Amino acid sequence: MSTPFYVSPEQLMKDRADFARKGIARGRSLVAVQYADGVLLVTENPSQALHKVSELYDRLAFAAVGRYNEFENLRIAGVRLADMRGYAYDRRDVTGRGLANAYAQTLGTIFSSGGEKPYEVEIFVAEVGTTAADDQIYRLTYEGRVADEHGYAVMGGDADTVAKYLQEHYSEGASLADALHVAVAALGHTADGGKVEDRVIPVGDLEVAVLDRTRTQPRKFRRLLPARLDEILGDRGPAEHAAPLPDDGAPGSGGSGATASATDDPTDPTDQVSGGVAPLEDPSTGEPPVAPPL
Amino acid sequence: MSDARIPGAFLRPGTSSFSDFLAENAPDLLPARRSLPAGGAAEIAPHGTTIVAVTFPGGLVMAGDRRATMGNVIAQRDIEKVFPADEYSVVGIAGTAGLAVEMVRLFQVELEHYEKIEGSVLSLDGKANRLSALIRANLGMAMQGLAVVPMFAGYDLDSRTGRIFGYDVTGGRHEEASFFTVGSGSMFARGALKKLYRDDLTSDDAVRVCLQALYDAADDDSATGGPDLTRRIFPVVWVVTADGGVRLPEERIGELADQVVGARLQRPDGPVAPLPGGGEEAQS
């Protein structure tokens, strides 16, 4: 029997956390903003079919960044949990706190169990109440931490820069139009190494939804479609699509983010870039694998 | 070891149907999965009665009386038997009231669940088929006297018309082009609808036709309740158009019901249909 390498628990957890954080930071940011009539969720997502923001229940919305297959699973589980509880008890008994707890337990268990890869996701569960004081935004992180956010919250991508912009420009009790203007401007704001840039995101690339307490139907979730966004946002100057993400549609590009060196060093087994050498070939010589003698 | 995480069945991709999910993971929550002792149970459960639906260009109207009976007793005089299924469709119920209301609740969640999971709305035929499946699952109870016979109607966003679906206890469904009735008073209501229906009704007139038909049903069927003028209890009326379903406010129905009752004071049998080839001119 071979002796396994000893890895301290601190190091193990740190490695797993780094892994998840890296995956989450790779995507684009998502912003949740409280406004006068509820909660506004905005992200840059050119896909019209694959949603990052969706409805969970009457007063609840789900928003996520990170790996699509992982958060889509969690979303479906949330819809099933909510619908089942609402059917077995009453629609009013489905609360954001209950769902946030279920997600937290799930993410926490997966993160600390050795056998599974940690989920590379971060989630908001937003809840709209009868008054602005009852509105809630729960933030759930990859390791199962729950935080209760007030006013605004940002996750994914360069969340710090976007959050800083919102901190400067957010005002409480704003109208939908004002809140949307600030949120969209925040998403287009980048500060790469001190170089501050403000990009105008085209309305077609925005995914926007609200939980609107003024809706008369019991279901308060509503998507704002590009035509409506155009109407609200008005003329903002020439729009510009986002630069493609480093790992967008490039299988095998490593995906270690922009910080790591993007060149392949065949002799270094720890680098994140696989280069042009196929996985089974000898990394230094490029020789094809030899079948063992029979 | 107790595991606090969401059970694996919830996270597994697969069905978009809430009732299928329940059947797999919590079958005791399904109304049709309960086992009944042998024998009839029809006499001990309240029954709901007459529902009528009428299409008009651009939508449809569904209306139901407010009475539930248990044998010769009026079990409830203000029961509601027409419900919204989702934004563009309504469902009315006749038969065992308790089971029917539960089936409607399941059907409502079923449609909403699909919409949330798939991100798109079921077609009207798809919705009608799902209701078929729910009724079919109830066949065992129907044979012990606890039948549920709903009627489903909705605005079809593709064909831009109102459509009505009728069912039998085995889940068989059939589409009705212009009007339909279910429940114990349905044959009397259907007779009235035959004489009053025309295909160019306005939405207001379609509501009037429904109220007349319900009045006729209550006139001849003891299990159907007529407009209760002393308690101001009137039929539940839903109007579904391209803008979605709306329940008519109590005051409006009260006003229309007063007109119907007022006219019946003059002529208790209701409006007279024209008789082609007959000697007498038709009155309204």
Side-chain angles (χ1 to χ4, degrees):
Chain A
M1 203 187 104
S2 63
T3 318
F5 288 110
Y6 173 73
V7 182
S8 72
E10 289 86 356
Q11 186 61 41
L12 187 73
M13 286 302 151
K14 192 178 160 303
D15 285 352
R16 291 172 75 87
D18 282 348
F19 169 78
R21 258 203 298 269
K22 230 182 251 172
I24 294 162
R26 218 177 282 148
R28 297 190 211 287
S29 305
L30 190 149
V31 173
V33 180
Q34 284 180 274
Y35 72 104
D37 295 329
V39 183
L40 169 74
L41 297 152
V42 190
T43 185
E44 194 176 359
N45 178 11
S47 166
Q48 298 293 316
L50 306 176
H51 295 300
K52 291 187 183 178
V53 180
S54 24
E55 177 184 11
L56 274 182
Y57 209 63
D58 288 357
R59 297 173 160 274
L60 302 175
F62 174 96
V65 294
R67 224 171 240 288
Y68 180 78
N69 63 327
E70 291 174 353
F71 70 66
E72 175 70 2
N73 261 357
L74 290 170
R75 179 184 77 85
I76 288 177
V79 170
R80 287 174 175 162
L81 267 180
D83 277 345
M84 195 149 139
R85 180 166 306 178
Y87 178 67
Y89 299 94
D90 186 78
R91 295 194 80 90
R92 276 167 304 178
D93 299 317
V94 180
T95 60
R97 198 171 51 86
L99 276 170
N101 271 334
Y103 281 140
Q105 295 293 348
T106 306
L107 287 168
T109 316
I110 292 172
F111 180 76
S112 48
S113 88
E116 279 171 282
K117 164 190 111 48
Y119 272 23
E120 297 163 71
V121 295
E122 201 162 324
I123 295 173
F124 286 156
V125 174
E127 180 172 21
V128 67
T130 41
T131 62
D134 301 328
D135 293 352
Q136 299 280 0
I137 302 171
Y138 297 98
R139 172 205 292 270
L140 293 131
T141 60
Y142 54 87
E143 84 270 48
R145 225 163 359 121
V146 198
D148 195 357
E149 303 277 353
H150 297 282
Y152 61 87
V154 189
M155 61 183 174
D158 191 0
D160 294 341
T161 310
V162 178
K164 203 157 158 243
Y165 183 93
L166 277 174
Q167 192 186 1
E168 286 159 18
H169 294 83
Y170 173 76
S171 58
E172 223 171 281
S175 68
L176 175 62
D178 291 346
L180 185 64
H181 269 287
V182 172
V184 172
L187 289 175
H189 181 80
T190 46
D192 198 5
K195 197 168 83 159
V196 176
E197 254 183 274
D198 283 293
R199 186 167 56 87
V200 174
I201 303 173
V203 285
D205 286 1
L206 286 171
E207 182 179 352
V208 182
V210 287
L211 283 170
D212 181 353
R213 85 178 104 259
T214 60
R215 257 173 85 90
T216 47
Q217 292 95 326
R219 290 164 72 180
K220 306 296 181 193
F221 182 87
R222 180 164 58 104
R223 285 187 193 285
L224 299 184
L225 300 175
R228 175 90 181 102
L229 291 177
D230 228 1
E231 215 171 275
I232 299 175
L233 290 170
D235 188 23
R236 297 172 296 155
E240 196 189 323
H241 291 282
L245 292 171
D247 65 340
D248 263 359
S253 66
S256 60
T259 48
S261 74
T263 50
D264 175 38
D265 180 2
T267 54
D268 176 10
T270 61
D271 75 348
Q272 302 278 305
V273 186
S274 64
V277 183
L280 290 179
E281 261 79 292
D282 185 297
S284 357
T285 61
E287 299 244 332
V290 183
L294 289 169
Chain B
M1 197 192 103
S2 76
D3 197 349
R5 65 196 270 186
I6 301 174
F10 284 82
L11 289 154
R12 211 170 299 132
T15 180
S16 316
S17 158
F18 182 66
S19 60
D20 289 357
F21 182 74
L22 280 190
E24 231 171 86
N25 297 290
D28 50 318
L29 284 179
L30 285 176
R33 286 296 182 95
R34 278 158 215 153
S35 56
L36 279 184
E43 286 75 39
I44 53 168
H47 276 237
T49 43
T50 313
I51 310 287
V52 299
V54 167
T55 60
F56 62 88
L60 66 103
V61 174
M62 190 185 283
D65 76 305
R66 302 292 288 272
R67 182 171 292 179
T69 57
M70 212 160 68
N72 65 316
V73 176
I74 294 174
Q76 196 184 344
R77 28 179 129 255
D78 62 349
I79 190 174
E80 294 187 2
K81 293 182 280 189
V82 181
F83 302 92
D86 67 358
E87 211 172 318
Y88 291 101
S89 58
V90 285
V91 56
I93 48 159
T96 312
L99 278 179
V101 170
E102 206 173 344
M103 188 183 285
V104 167
R105 240 155 57 78
L106 181 61
F107 184 53
Q108 286 168 332
V109 180
E110 177 87 12
L111 298 187
E112 184 189 325
H113 190 78
Y114 181 93
E115 196 181 320
K116 287 191 289 198
I117 296 233
E118 294 290 319
S120 61
V121 183
L122 270 171
S123 66
L124 196 67
D125 296 273
K127 294 175 196 172
N129 275 335
R130 283 314 303 169
L131 187 56
S132 268
L134 297 185
I135 300 167
R136 198 173 303 124
N138 197 50
L139 184 59
M141 294 223 236
M143 290 177 72
Q144 287 181 279
L146 300 178
V148 176
V149 186
M151 166 159 56
F152 176 68
Y155 182 79
D156 192 332
L157 292 164
D158 299 324
S159 69
R160 313 208 150 269
T161 51
R163 297 169 67 188
I164 303 173
F165 297 90
Y167 294 87
D168 60 40
V169 282
T170 61
R173 85 181 162 95
H174 51 99
E175 186 169 350
E176 296 290 333
S178 40
F179 57 84
F180 191 57
T181 62
V182 284
S184 64
S186 61
M187 48 195 129
F188 309 112
R190 191 173 312 173
L193 288 178
K194 272 186 188 167
K195 298 291 175 280
L196 293 175
Y197 179 81
R198 52 218 72 182
D199 48 21
D200 58 348
L201 289 170
T202 63
S203 105
D204 250 17
D205 284 344
V207 174
R208 285 197 181 90
V209 167
C210 287
L211 292 178
Q212 291 283 3
L214 284 176
Y215 192 104
D216 281 330
D219 208 17
D220 289 315
D221 172 38
S222 62
T224 304
D228 191 336
L229 295 175
T230 50
R231 297 189 183 81
R232 306 299 290 170
I233 299 171
F234 301 111
V236 174
V237 182
W238 277 80
V239 180
V240 188
T241 61
D243 302 328
V246 182
R247 182 177 169 169
L248 279 200
E250 285 284 305
E251 310 86 67
R252 178 72 187 134
I253 303 174
E255 218 173 275
L256 291 170
D258 284 340
Q259 286 175 18
V260 169
V261 175
R264 297 266 174 164
L265 289 176
Q266 306 301 315
R267 199 192 135 71
D269 289 341
V272 175
L275 180 63
E280 202 186 327
E281 267 303 297
Q283 314 154 15
S284 60

